[in-house]
Amino acid sequence: MSNIQKGYKQTDVGVIPEDWDVRSISSVAEIATGNTPPTRDLNNYGDEYLFVGPADLGKRKWIFNSEKKLSRKGFNISRKFPPKSILFTCIGSTIGKSGMASILLTSNQQINAVLPNENYHSDFLFYALNLLSPKIKSLAGEQAVPLVNKTQFGETLVPLPPTKSEQTAIASALSDADALITSLEKLIEKKRAIKQGAMQKCLNPDSYYLYDDTDSKPHQGNQANQKNHSSDKWVVKKLGEILKIRHGKSQKEVEDSNGQYPILGTGGLMSYTNHFLYDKPSVLIGRKGTIDKPQFMDSPFWTVDTLFYTEINADVSPKFIYYRFLLVDWYSHNEASGVPSLNAKTIENIEISIPSFSEQTRIASILTDMDAEITTLEQKLSKYKLLKQGMMQELLTGKIRLVDYERIVNTSEIDSIEMNN
């Protein structure tokens, strides 16, 4: 006995509403492949016209820029795709990455352009292809160079609402979700830039910001009217005077997936253990491999042998040292010609300027608050992305119908985020 809900039917693309159709991409759109102008003629390349490659896709829906650009000459001999064309990567390790043309542009041969017929909504097909992306990617198999040819791509089946108006309603709902996500991404970028600027000022003895105990407003440290604060209170010390670099150890004998303490490598969390190497606040830095990604830990941990940890003097703020480590050009201290490597003594010989302990604590507190705000926004962004993915699954398979479109994303949130930008 069928378990299919009344009003729905089983098809090659799954269960969809009875009045929906299933069509191949090639039956509802023209499919064209990009091309690369001859690279031997440097006059084909410039900075005028977008020349889209896989690296330009997948970040956001609309394509406004490209890593490579063409001159007028190169543009004139290339296959051009009009605004609202859907660009979909079909060759290489990034099959499935996609975007929509915001202006007339060109692309390389790794990309197929989908140009919908007038009866089909471009934005709807863009979201439908996004949902079908894993299935399309699977068509490439396990070749040395993954490839979904144009025929395979064109034969991919898409579930379609019976009217263009319903396609428009679905696309509009998902576009609202995209607008919310994009606004939040821009706000996070802005907050990160503000934090980076604050780090440059707070951690620089010539321009750092201080906060009076009686005033929440920041003041530049070298201002004449600053109360008893001046940059001459900063002292230059070698890192070895304020901390000791310690080596991590192999985790093989202590690893336990049910353990209570994290095992950390240069890329972050690797596993867990019931033992720890160190249980005080510490700044971690890569010994080999990724040497430019400091980590901060204020709870017990274990580090593997490619990751140093630090024992920091009691009169120094570990969090201040963490933020100071973020500004070090670690690759300038690289001691290997192959895999990047750092030496403990080299690190301990690096000189930094530090203020009094109380000022270190203030600076660390300011930057920690900024980090907390960014983390909250990133968590919100992850939530919205999951919400959008769920919306796509429901709307693009007809489980939720939007024949009469009502905005299901709270657009006031978009306005709020944009105001903060």
Side-chain angles (χ1 to χ4, degrees), residues 29-81:
E30 177 188 355
I31 301 171
T33 302
N35 66 291
T36 299
T39 55
R40 62 181 180 275
D41 186 350
L42 297 180
N43 291 325
N44 286 327
Y45 296 85
D47 57 6
E48 297 178 71
Y49 299 95
L50 300 190
F51 178 56
V52 178
D56 304 310
L57 303 179
K59 301 180 185 76
R60 291 176 179 164
K61 176 180 177 180
W62 293 102
I63 305 164
F64 292 105
N65 206 349
S66 61
E67 288 185 1
K68 294 182 179 180
K69 292 185 174 67
L70 300 180
S71 65
R72 180 178 293 275
K73 178 182 178 183
F75 188 70
N76 285 339
I77 62 174
S78 298
R79 174 68 192 264
K80 302 170 187 62
F81 305 122

Side-chain angles (χ1 to χ4, degrees), residues 130-372:
N130 268 255
L131 189 64
L132 293 168
S133 178
K135 182 178 180 180
I136 296 172
K137 189 172 184 178
S138 70
L139 298 174
E142 298 183 0
Q143 307 171 67
V145 178
L147 166 67
V148 177
N149 64 47
K150 187 186 290 189
T151 300
Q152 289 176 306
F153 181 71
E155 289 174 349
T156 301
L157 299 176
V158 181
L160 293 164
T163 65
K164 191 172 182 179
S165 62
E166 188 172 357
Q167 295 174 32
T168 302
I170 293 169
S172 297
L174 294 173
S175 292
D176 281 349
D178 264 337
L180 181 61
I181 288 169
T182 298
S183 294
L184 196 49
E185 286 173 337
K186 288 180 179 178
L187 179 58
I188 291 171
E189 287 176 7
K190 178 182 176 182
K191 296 293 184 182
R192 286 174 178 160
I194 291 171
K195 180 204 159 188
Q196 189 65 27
M199 285 174 57
Q200 296 290 346
K201 289 186 177 294
C202 287
L203 300 170
N204 183 337
D206 295 322
S207 62
Y208 75 108
Y209 279 115
L210 293 170
Y211 279 70
D212 284 342
D213 295 329
T214 57
D215 188 356
S216 62
K217 294 181 179 180
H219 303 275
Q220 281 190 298
N222 57 2
Q223 285 183 338
N225 62 356
Q226 181 65 37
K227 299 178 185 177
N228 301 319
H229 293 305
S230 65
S231 59
D232 61 11
K233 288 198 171 187
W234 289 62
V235 294
V236 176
K237 289 191 175 184
K238 290 184 177 181
L239 287 177
E241 297 180 72
I242 59 178
L243 58 81
K244 295 300 179 187
I245 299 294
R246 300 302 187 196
H247 287 257
K249 296 182 180 179
S250 171
Q251 78 281 21
K252 292 180 181 178
E253 294 183 5
V254 301
E255 190 170 6
D256 182 346
S257 59
N258 296 315
Q260 59 179 318
Y261 306 121
I263 296 174
L264 303 168
T266 57
L269 180 66
M270 294 176 61
S271 186
Y272 291 91
T273 178
N274 284 312
H275 305 270
F276 58 81
L277 281 181
Y278 198 60
D279 62 350
K280 296 180 177 64
S282 180
V283 181
L284 289 52
I285 188 69
R287 180 182 71 85
K288 183 172 287 188
T290 303
I291 62 172
D292 64 338
K293 303 294 181 186
Q295 303 175 50
F296 178 77
M297 287 297 294
D298 58 2
S299 57
F301 61 87
W302 183 287
T303 63
V304 299
D305 58 6
T306 58
L307 183 65
F308 290 127
Y309 67 94
T310 56
E311 291 182 2
I312 299 170
N313 294 358
D315 59 348
V316 177
S317 163
K319 203 63 178 290
F320 176 88
I321 296 300
Y322 165 69
Y323 287 116
R324 188 61 188 78
F325 269 38
L326 289 176
L327 293 184
V328 174
D329 178 8
W330 291 105
Y331 279 102
S332 69
H333 302 284
N334 176 31
E335 300 193 348
S337 58
V339 177
S341 299
L342 292 175
N343 178 279
K345 289 299 180 185
T346 299
I347 297 173
E348 290 179 351
N349 281 325
I350 294 173
E351 292 185 340
I352 66 168
S353 296
I354 61 171
S356 65
F357 180 75
S358 63
E359 198 57 44
Q360 293 173 40
T361 303
R362 290 187 193 186
I363 291 170
S365 178
I366 293 166
L367 297 175
T368 298
D369 287 345
M370 289 182 170
D371 270 339

Side-chain angles (χ1 to χ4, degrees), residues 19-34:
D19 59 342
W20 281 37
D21 196 5
V22 176
R23 302 286 301 276
S24 66
I25 296 173
S26 60
S27 69
V28 301
E30 177 188 355
I31 301 171
T33 302

Side-chain angles (χ1 to χ4, degrees), residues 395-406:
L395 295 176
L396 295 168
T397 59
K399 291 178 181 176
I400 294 177
R401 302 295 296 270
L402 291 182
V403 179
D404 297 316
Y405 172 51
E406 295 180 3

Side-chain angles (χ1 to χ4, degrees), residues 102-113:
S102 61
I103 58 174
L104 185 70
L105 50 69
T106 63
S107 76
N108 69 20
Q109 62 271 23
Q110 291 177 269
I111 293 171
N112 281 337

